[in-house]
């Protein structure tokens, strides 16, 4: 059994201990006592140094705690020191979770079903959906309780007693209870701050519906401050592009987006009109050939809607056949007027089939694609010879 020093003093960051057991290469060691918290109950493990060697992972093996090291540990008597910044941050997020979960239950009967403390942010999953207004109310209430600086205490009770817990525990025997004064009692083996003021600001962010639950992302302490700073910087950058005050930025972005859509629609309309005019121009500028048919062949980089509009406009005239050849990707468009004697769909389909291409269409308009340039040349040749 490893004595868990963090159970009774979450603020202990350095300690001395004796090595009780170790792996043959002495990179996995077991101590008689430790302040290193192992990954457990949603809270990540501590890192730090043991006898000057990096502790890279801490694993709870029920009775014993394994310290996974970056190198072999030579000593039998060691000094341990945990990375306090990381640990204190975990204590803030973890205590913040107790507080937030209690507030969500009190205000909206939203019970916490799971908790995850991540490297960037943390989440609680609650059993019911909440409105944005309710989330804001919970965030406000949680921060008020932070300002009240209520004591957070640890006590031990037997599971047979009436424990008055927020969430029933399945633990038998001695139960470690973490309590926030007049708010919350939870069975928990994690590390917590000693008063709610030390949690610092609590900021709720993203909400996600996950399998019938609501996942609430939240940040406490310096994480909340850092995030608010990053949000400010991002919003400032947006506001600067409009030379506008910060608070006007969201409305300006929305207005600009609508304007852009409007402009795109107008642009599309003009491009189509231009293509149609070009089609008419090609038609009048083309001398009728055999059988009075006007034929035009256009080579263009890529087939587009504009080319279709141009083709449609061209074959709106009498006795007209329009062929467009797109280079990249290799593709063909064939259009024919009803009185041209050409069935564009059938003609293109047979030309494509012999070149390994795909496509088809109606009597008036057909389109197809081929695998490569030589297939394209073969299709064009077949079409030109008919
Ligand atoms: Zn806890």
């Amino acid at each position: 059994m490893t004595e868990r020093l963090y159970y009774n003093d979450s603020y202990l960051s350095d300690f001395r201990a004796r090595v009780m057991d170790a792996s043959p290469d002495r990179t996995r060691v077991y101590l008689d006592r430790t302040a290193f918290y192992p990954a457990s109950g949603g809270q990540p493990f501590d890192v730090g140094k043991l006898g000057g060697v990096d502790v890279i992972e801490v694993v709870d093996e029920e009775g014993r705690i394994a310290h996974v090291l970056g190198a072999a540990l030579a000593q039998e008597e060691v000094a341990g020191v945990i990375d306090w910044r990381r640990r204190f941050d975990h204590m803030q997020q973890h205590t913040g979770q107790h507080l937030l979960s209690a507030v969500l239950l009190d205000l909206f009967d939203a019970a916490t079903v799971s908790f995850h403390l991540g490297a960037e942010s943390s989440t609680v999953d609650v059993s019911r959906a909440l409105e944005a207004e309710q989330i804001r109310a919970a965030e406000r209430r949680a921060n008020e309780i932070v300002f009240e600086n209520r004591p957070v205490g640890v006590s031990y009770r037997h599971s047979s007693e009436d424990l008055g817990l927020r969430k029933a525990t399945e633990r038998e025997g001695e139960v470690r209870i973490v309590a926030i004064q007049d708010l919350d009692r939870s069975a928990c083996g994690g590390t917590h701050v000693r008063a709610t003021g030390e949690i610092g600001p609590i900021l709720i962010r993203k909400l996600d519906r996950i399998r019938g639950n609501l996942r609430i992302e939240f940040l406490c302490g310096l994480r909340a401050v850092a995030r608010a700073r990053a949000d400010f910087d991002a919003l400032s950058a947006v506001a600067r592009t409009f030379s506008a005050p910060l608070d006007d930025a969201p409305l300006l972005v929305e207005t600009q987006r609508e304007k852009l859509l409007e402009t795109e629609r107008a642009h599309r309309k003009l491009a189509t009109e231009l293509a149609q005019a070009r089609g008419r121009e090609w038609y009048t500028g083309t001398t009728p050939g055999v059988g009075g048919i006007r034929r035009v062949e256009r080579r263009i980089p890529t087939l587009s809607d504009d080319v279709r509009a141009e083709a449609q406009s061209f074959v709106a005239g009498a006795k007209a056949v329009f062929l467009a050849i797109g280079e990249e990707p290799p593709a063909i468009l064939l259009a024919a007027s009803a009185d041209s004697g050409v069935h564009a769909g059938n003609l293109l389909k047979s030309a494509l089939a012999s070149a390994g291409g795909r496509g088809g269409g109606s009597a008036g308009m057909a389109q197809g694609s081929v695998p490569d340039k030589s297939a394209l040349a073969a299709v064009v040749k077949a079409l030109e010879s008919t």
Side-chain angles (χ1 to χ4, degrees):
M1 290 286 276
T2 312
E3 187 190 346
R4 299 169 190 241
L5 299 171
Y6 55 81
Y7 268 174
N8 294 317
D9 187 0
S10 290
Y11 289 81
L12 184 68
S13 63
D14 56 308
F15 64 103
R16 294 199 66 84
R18 173 185 292 274
V19 176
M20 305 300 283
D21 196 7
S23 60
D25 66 354
R26 294 188 65 87
T27 60
R28 190 180 187 94
V29 302
Y30 301 86
L31 307 174
D32 58 344
R33 48 193 229 136
T34 188
F36 279 92
Y37 185 80
S40 165
Q43 183 180 330
F45 57 84
D46 290 331
V47 297
K49 300 260 189 199
L50 211 50
V53 175
D54 285 334
V55 176
I56 54 179
E57 196 187 348
V58 186
V59 185
D60 197 335
E61 297 180 354
E62 301 296 324
R64 303 198 299 175
I65 291 174
H67 302 75
V68 181
L69 308 177
L73 180 69
Q75 306 99 297
E76 291 301 327
E77 296 278 350
V78 289
V81 54
I82 65 174
D83 178 338
W84 179 247
R85 276 173 70 119
R86 175 181 160 99
R87 157 64 85 74
F88 186 66
D89 169 68
H90 290 166
M91 285 159 60
Q92 288 179 305
Q93 313 308 317
H94 194 149
T95 316
Q97 179 262 313
H98 283 233
L99 198 164
L100 190 58
S101 288
V103 165
L104 288 166
L105 187 66
D106 278 3
L107 292 183
F108 305 115
D109 201 28
T112 293
V113 294
S114 68
F115 161 56
H116 173 73
L117 202 175
E120 303 275 318
S121 64
S122 305
T123 56
V124 285
D125 288 4
V126 296
S127 55
R128 53 158 296 194
L130 293 169
E131 301 297 321
E133 195 52 50
Q134 294 174 310
I135 291 293
R136 274 195 287 276
E139 184 182 63
R140 188 182 173 83
R141 183 71 193 124
N143 280 287
E144 283 170 357
I145 295 167
V146 167
F147 307 150
E148 289 167 12
N149 203 24
R150 298 192 194 182
V152 179
V154 172
S155 60
Y156 295 87
R157 293 277 187 282
H158 194 271
S159 57
S160 59
E161 294 177 59
D162 176 15
L163 303 176
L165 299 177
R166 167 162 50 82
K167 188 179 171 185
T169 180
E170 286 167 10
R171 238 168 218 290
E172 296 284 334
E174 191 181 61
V175 180
R176 182 174 187 261
I177 296 169
V178 177
I180 301 174
Q181 192 180 70
D182 298 331
L183 179 76
D184 184 52
R185 288 171 64 79
S186 292
C188 186
T191 58
H192 307 83
V193 296
R194 62 198 142 203
T196 57
E198 290 188 26
I199 296 168
I202 298 177
L203 180 66
I204 295 181
R205 287 176 58 83
K206 208 158 56 89
L207 305 175
D208 282 313
R209 296 303 303 266
I210 308 266
R211 295 179 294 274
N213 294 327
L214 178 67
R215 178 160 293 174
I216 302 172
E217 183 192 54
F218 70 97
L219 303 165
C220 301
L222 274 179
R223 289 191 187 199
V225 174
R227 191 60 246 181
R229 164 61 45 194
D231 290 349
F232 176 80
D233 290 347
L235 196 53
S236 296
V238 173
R240 260 199 309 279
T241 63
F242 294 110
S243 307
L246 209 66
D247 292 341
D248 294 353
L251 186 61
L252 277 170
V253 169
E254 181 55 26
T255 311
Q256 289 291 313
R257 200 183 73 93
E258 274 165 21
K259 266 191 195 158
L260 183 62
L261 287 175
E262 218 170 273
T263 309
E264 276 170 357
R265 275 194 293 272
H267 169 84
R268 184 98 297 279
K269 188 161 170 282
L270 283 173
T272 304
E273 283 171 9
L274 182 63
Q276 287 165 343
R278 217 161 37 225
R280 284 193 295 275
E281 206 177 304
W282 278 109
Y283 185 83
T284 53
T286 305
T287 312
V290 183
I293 301 284
R294 289 172 209 245
R295 280 176 170 272
V296 73
E297 187 178 309
R298 301 261 283 119
R299 280 189 182 268
I300 47 169
T302 301
L303 290 187
S304 64
D305 287 346
D306 291 347
V307 179
R308 287 179 74 87
E310 192 177 317
Q312 251 155 4
S313 169
F314 186 88
V315 301
K319 297 201 167 203
V321 175
F322 184 102
L323 175 65
I325 303 147
E327 302 289 342
E328 192 53 52
I332 296 269
L333 183 144
L334 181 65
S337 65
D339 59 2
S340 65
V342 171
H343 188 291
N346 292 349
L347 184 59
L348 183 61
K349 215 175 168 103
S350 64
L352 285 167
S354 55
R358 292 160 39 154
S362 64
M365 174 83 70
Q367 204 169 325
S369 60
V370 288
D372 52 44
K373 277 200 184 348
S374 66
L376 185 66
V379 173
V380 171
K381 203 170 170 207
L383 289 172
E384 282 172 347
S385 64
T386 53

